[in-house]
Amino acid sequence: MKTYSIALIPGDGIGKDVTAAAWQVLEKVSARSGFELKATTFPWSCAYYRETGAMMPADGIATLRRFDAILLGAVGWPAEVPDSVSLHGLLLPIRKAFVQYANIRPHRLLPGVEGPLKARNFDILCIRENTEGEYSGAGGRVHQGTKDEVAVETSIFTRAGVERILRFGFEQARARRGKLASVTKSNAQKYSMVFWDEITERLAAEYPDVTVTSYHIDAMAARMVMAPESLDVVVASNLFGDILTDLGAAIQGGLGFAASANINPDRSAPSMFEPVHGSAPDIAHLAIANPIAAIWSAAMMIEHLGEAAAAEQIMAAIAAATSAGIGTVPGKDKTETITAAVLAALD
């Protein structure tokens, strides 16, 4: 029997509830599909930071490296730990250390879910560059607290980084409907974004079977609202991809349905899977968090591990639950009710 070792990081707030739900589904589908999942849970979170002064221990990256994949719940508790600390102390170091340069976020309506748009037949795969760009962390502040204070944030775009994420996008488009949308703001950012456009144009010659269109970020935001069905694969920088995928979550019915994968495409290190939503401190004590995004992320994880049939079973079970009206309206159903419906559908 094939065995996969999984690092579970439930994190903060609703992350604990949705990770537990996803793991229940994974255990059931693995038991019937002929493979085994072995989990090791790590308490790394804002609570851990308050106790230790760090979001994860100094050997955290080395510890995670031995796993086949990482399933993350949510990280953040801004009332007690600044988001800049929690993000740069856990999530970003993992993405960068394991070269998880492709952040993949699917956007489509599940059966029974009502989105805010008239359009229903859209299926968008957003691919966000995940390790450099606007989130490189290059910069600093001087004269802090004075009237002369200066803050500098420098975006870093490397040829290797831009080319590999675009090539990844081209490959995904080739495997889907053959359309790639590359998103920049090259009319205003005449160095980094023109650089991105030039690399897009050069790579397009290697993929004659893929139709390539370049959009400015503002035009893409409008298109995702006005004509989402016209889009297939969308590739964008770290910041632009982050913003567009929250818009994608909105048009698919909300963050409770938004799954994501942080992929190391050459598999030299583990990839990490997580729902897009945060820790939601305002509802963390109500047991009404929608676990569908976490369960969908778990399906993406086992598909990445090579268990495509089991991943399809999970997605079919999610669809069966939402088709019955369970988990389709934020706050209507308890987390355990939605989880039970997905588990029942697996039968």
Side-chain angles (χ1 to χ4, degrees):
M1 180 181 290
K2 181 69 174 178
T3 300
Y4 304 99
S5 59
I6 309 299
L8 295 183
I9 308 176
D12 298 295
I14 65 170
K16 299 173 184 178
D17 295 339
V18 300
T19 302
W23 191 252
Q24 288 183 64
V25 173
L26 286 171
E27 285 188 313
K28 185 162 189 174
V29 79
S30 63
R32 61 186 291 174
S33 301
F35 63 93
E36 184 179 7
L37 298 171
K38 289 188 176 181
T40 302
T41 301
F42 297 95
W44 306 339
S45 61
C46 289
Y48 184 88
Y49 178 86
R50 294 195 303 272
E51 294 176 2
T52 67
M55 290 297 297
M56 63 177 169
D59 64 350
I61 295 297
T63 299
L64 292 175
R65 192 175 291 276
R66 63 186 174 87
F67 289 89
D68 294 311
I70 304 162
L71 185 61
L72 175 70
V75 174
W77 202 267
E80 299 182 2
V81 179
D83 283 340
S84 58
V85 171
S86 58
L87 183 67
H88 286 272
L90 185 63
L91 192 59
L92 293 186
I94 292 173
R95 288 175 175 172
K96 292 177 181 179
F98 295 149
V99 199
Q100 297 168 350
Y101 66 81
N103 181 253
I104 303 173
R105 299 183 178 185
H107 301 297
R108 63 179 186 269
L109 280 175
L110 293 169
V113 176
E114 292 293 332
L117 305 181
K118 293 180 181 179
R120 293 194 56 86
N121 297 320
F122 58 87
D123 181 0
I124 305 170
L125 187 68
C126 281
I127 299 173
R128 163 192 173 194
E129 199 292 314
N130 211 30
T131 59
E132 54 178 50
E134 303 90 347
Y135 293 179
S136 297
R141 292 168 64 179
V142 296
H143 311 307
Q144 290 190 44
T146 74
K147 63 182 179 62
D148 298 315
E149 184 168 2
V150 178
V152 176
E153 192 89 31
T154 302
S155 299
I156 305 294
F157 290 87
T158 66
R159 181 172 292 276
V162 175
E163 181 170 323
R164 69 188 180 186
I165 194 63
L166 284 167
R167 194 176 293 281
F168 185 87
F170 274 106
E171 294 292 341
Q172 294 298 310
R174 174 175 277 175
R176 285 170 50 97
R177 301 193 303 278
K179 295 193 297 182
L180 180 79
S182 176
V183 182
T184 66
K185 188 61 176 172
S186 52
N187 58 343
Q189 295 174 283
K190 64 180 182 178
Y191 301 117
S192 61
M193 296 285 94
V194 170
F195 177 60
W196 182 293
D197 284 348
E198 289 173 353
I199 295 175
T200 302
E201 183 177 2
R202 181 174 60 80
L203 288 179
E206 299 181 29
Y207 296 88
D209 53 328
V210 176
T211 301
V212 183
T213 308
S214 291
Y215 294 92
H216 290 151
I217 177 66
D218 40 358
M220 176 53 69
R223 178 166 288 272
M224 286 182 69
V225 173
M226 300 300 294
E229 69 282 353
S230 70
L231 299 169
D232 181 15
V233 174
V234 176
V235 184
S237 69
N238 215 329
L239 175 61
F240 290 170
D242 195 3
I243 294 169
L244 286 176
T245 51
D246 267 19
L247 177 56
I251 67 173
Q252 71 180 120
L255 287 169
F257 306 105
S260 79
N262 303 280
I263 299 294
N264 174 305
D266 68 11
R267 299 174 185 266
S268 59
S271 294
M272 179 167 61
F273 303 81
E274 56 173 321
V276 175
H277 62 68
S279 61
D282 57 327
I283 64 166
H285 61 293
L286 300 178
I288 58 170
N290 190 339
I292 287 176
I295 297 170
W296 192 337
S297 299
M300 295 175 74
M301 181 181 75
I302 60 171
E303 181 179 19
H304 177 73
L305 292 174
E307 303 294 343
E312 290 176 3
Q313 290 177 37
I314 292 177
M315 294 309 301
I318 291 173
T322 58
S323 294
I326 300 172
T328 59
V329 178
K332 180 177 74 70
D333 298 309
K334 294 286 189 179
T335 306
E336 62 180 5
T337 301
I338 303 169
T339 307
V342 175
L343 289 169
L346 284 172
D347 291 330

